[in-house]
Amino acid sequence: MPMNIRRYHPSDNTAISRLNLRLEQGGAADRVYPENGDAFGRAQQEQGPVSTRLWVAADGSEVRGGVWLKEHAFWAADKSLQAGWVKYPVAESIVDRQYGGVPGAMIFKLVRQQPNLMAIGMGGHHQPIARIFSALGWKGHTLPLYFYISNPSKVLRECSFLRNSPAKRMLADLLAYSGAGWAGGKIFMASRRTLGCMLSGPCQTETVQQFDTWADSIWERGKHHYKLVAVRDSEMLNAFYPNSLPSITKLRISQGKQNIGWACVARFLEQKEAGAKFGKSKAAVIFDMFGHPENARKIVAAATDQVIKSGADIVFANVSHESWGKAFRNSGYFRTSGNYAFYSSPALTRYLNLDPETFKKCLFTVADSHAPEMLRIHL
């Protein structure tokens, strides 16, 4: 019987449970989550600005994979464009090679539903799903990772990504316990952040419960300066970040009497996934942000100050746009290549002429990978 890529139905839940058990027994960490599962809560939003739907690879009475199609409005080359994301593709092929054609078949099906598609995250270009996108003619780029160390001594002792080789562990321990890491790091990071604040001028930061007309004004002033960006008006933002998602703190940032931008931040505390990477250090993520590119440095500085005051030892952000990247660097952040890959379908690549220079004028953040569904699982 040929593989049938179709919309999820609640009757698939038992077969999805069997698939997840096979994945677990095969040593894979990935899972397929049903639309009505607790992890995703209100993930399916057929009405409103965001549509998020699960498709499954049905093989008789079994399910061999699942993938989410998330669609909403974008601002693309000064026009409104309906486009979508291929999200959380999971196939039994990761534990059984006879199902090697499932991921490609699921992607082909989604392209027929929505030609203007993107995928982001995936653990980097070296992962099997990223290689499949590349083989299908999708265009690949990388979202840089930026990180700011507020507590160098603790981070040097605790963070696994700074201790993943004997040489790195020896150097990190030497810096941490001698005090050189703390002193040098503090002086360097603080000097750059202080200079950034001096140059950008004082800003006011307010925690808000939801986005309102002030966010619409920020969107209208800023949207024309991006080649491609997900619509970030108040209706879309309240759909992305509902009050039922307490793991996200929403910040309204102003200067004088003018609202210049906003940021959404998340803190990793005592979670298994975060603990393996950060140990006992507290990590925060500037998850999403928006404003006119000329205000990027002010917004980054204000959001960073807020999460440091909350006790974060290290702060992370992924962002594509060159002005925002410069804002993070000028605010004392280090840049690495990270593991966030971005791929665009052939149709979208042609529509935007999405070459490396054009990609630097697009705004993508961690939110485009995870908001809001997987936050219910990971945060």
Side-chain angles (χ1 to χ4, degrees):
M1 180 180 295
M3 200 70 61
N4 180 21
I5 313 299
R6 58 166 175 76
R7 280 282 287 114
Y8 159 87
H9 188 273
S11 62
D12 295 320
N13 286 357
T14 301
I16 290 175
S17 296
R18 291 196 297 268
L19 168 62
N20 288 337
L21 180 60
R22 294 192 296 273
L23 293 171
E24 181 181 3
Q25 291 172 340
D30 296 314
R31 301 290 182 269
V32 174
Y33 295 95
E35 285 182 10
N36 59 344
D38 292 339
F40 280 75
R42 295 162 46 208
Q44 184 183 10
Q45 302 177 56
E46 295 292 357
Q47 304 299 321
V50 183
S51 171
T52 311
R53 296 162 291 164
L54 175 64
W55 293 73
V56 298
D59 179 17
S61 61
E62 297 298 332
V63 168
R64 304 298 180 184
V67 61
W68 289 77
L69 172 60
K70 179 177 181 179
E71 294 177 278
H72 54 79
F74 287 77
W75 189 252
D78 274 339
K79 295 180 181 178
S80 180
L81 175 71
Q82 195 74 10
W85 296 100
V86 178
K87 298 176 76 73
Y88 325 122
V90 179
E92 196 165 348
S93 56
I94 57 180
V95 296
D96 190 336
R97 291 184 179 179
Q98 70 173 307
Y99 301 108
V102 172
M106 293 193 300
I107 294 168
F108 271 123
K109 182 67 174 183
L110 296 195
V111 168
R112 288 195 289 270
Q113 299 296 312
Q114 170 57 265
N116 296 314
L117 282 180
M118 294 163 282
I120 194 170
M122 297 169 284
H125 297 284
H126 65 284
Q127 294 295 331
I129 188 63
R131 293 199 296 268
I132 290 172
F133 282 120
S134 181
L136 294 175
W138 291 45
K139 184 70 173 179
H141 302 275
T142 301
L143 264 73
L145 171 68
Y146 299 89
F147 66 95
Y148 181 99
I149 302 176
S150 175
N151 188 341
S153 181
K154 189 173 184 179
V155 168
L156 286 168
R157 291 195 307 267
E158 298 288 343
C159 285
S160 62
F161 75 95
L162 296 175
R163 306 176 61 85
N164 55 11
S165 73
K168 284 185 179 180
R169 286 194 296 274
M170 183 179 297
L171 179 59
D173 286 340
L174 177 63
L175 292 173
Y177 289 107
S178 69
W182 183 90
K186 275 289 188 182
I187 292 170
F188 174 75
M189 306 295 273
S191 64
R192 292 189 68 182
R193 190 157 59 92
T194 300
L195 178 61
C197 291
M198 290 172 60
L199 293 176
S200 63
C203 293
Q204 298 77 47
T205 305
E206 175 190 0
T207 300
V208 297
Q209 295 301 310
Q210 65 180 16
F211 295 90
D212 211 329
T213 53
W214 58 267
D216 295 326
S217 298
I218 293 170
W219 168 248
E220 290 299 325
R221 288 197 302 270
K223 67 182 184 181
H224 299 284
H225 299 275
Y226 298 95
K227 186 71 173 180
L228 177 65
V229 59
V231 169
R232 283 172 162 87
D233 59 14
S234 60
E235 182 185 22
M236 184 73 76
L237 291 172
N238 288 325
F240 279 160
Y241 308 114
N243 289 333
S244 59
L245 198 63
S247 52
I248 289 289
T249 299
K250 293 163 272 193
L251 304 175
R252 173 181 178 178
I253 300 166
S254 59
Q255 189 170 39
K257 295 183 179 181
Q258 185 178 27
N259 295 302
I260 63 170
W262 53 262
C264 291
V265 300
R267 287 183 62 197
F268 295 94
L269 295 175
E270 306 250 344
Q271 296 137 52
K272 293 180 181 179
E273 180 182 350
K277 298 176 182 177
F278 309 123
K280 295 179 181 178
S281 60
K282 296 179 180 178
V285 178
I286 299 181
F287 192 77
D288 198 6
M289 59 273 175
F290 188 77
H292 193 293
E294 70 180 12
N295 291 322
R297 190 170 187 178
K298 303 172 187 178
I299 297 166
V300 169
T304 303
D305 282 340
Q306 190 73 11
V307 293
I308 289 175
K309 289 175 183 177
S310 73
D313 299 311
I314 186 168
V315 187
F316 291 92
N318 285 90
V319 67
S320 58
H321 195 279
E322 57 187 356
S323 294
W324 287 91
K326 183 177 180 181
F328 278 104
R329 294 193 304 274
N330 288 340
S331 297
Y333 283 73
F334 294 104
R335 170 181 166 155
T336 71
S337 58
N339 63 352
Y340 259 65
F342 172 92
Y343 284 85
S344 57
S345 67
L348 186 63
T349 300
R350 289 192 299 270
Y351 181 83
L352 292 172
N353 187 25
L354 202 53
D355 58 22
E357 289 304 310
T358 302
F359 183 73
K360 293 177 184 178
K361 295 176 174 60
C362 302
L363 180 61
F364 301 110
T365 68
V366 179
D368 292 304
S369 172
H370 281 77
E373 312 89 6
M374 289 301 283
L375 284 172
R376 303 178 189 276
I377 300 170
H378 291 310
L379 295 179

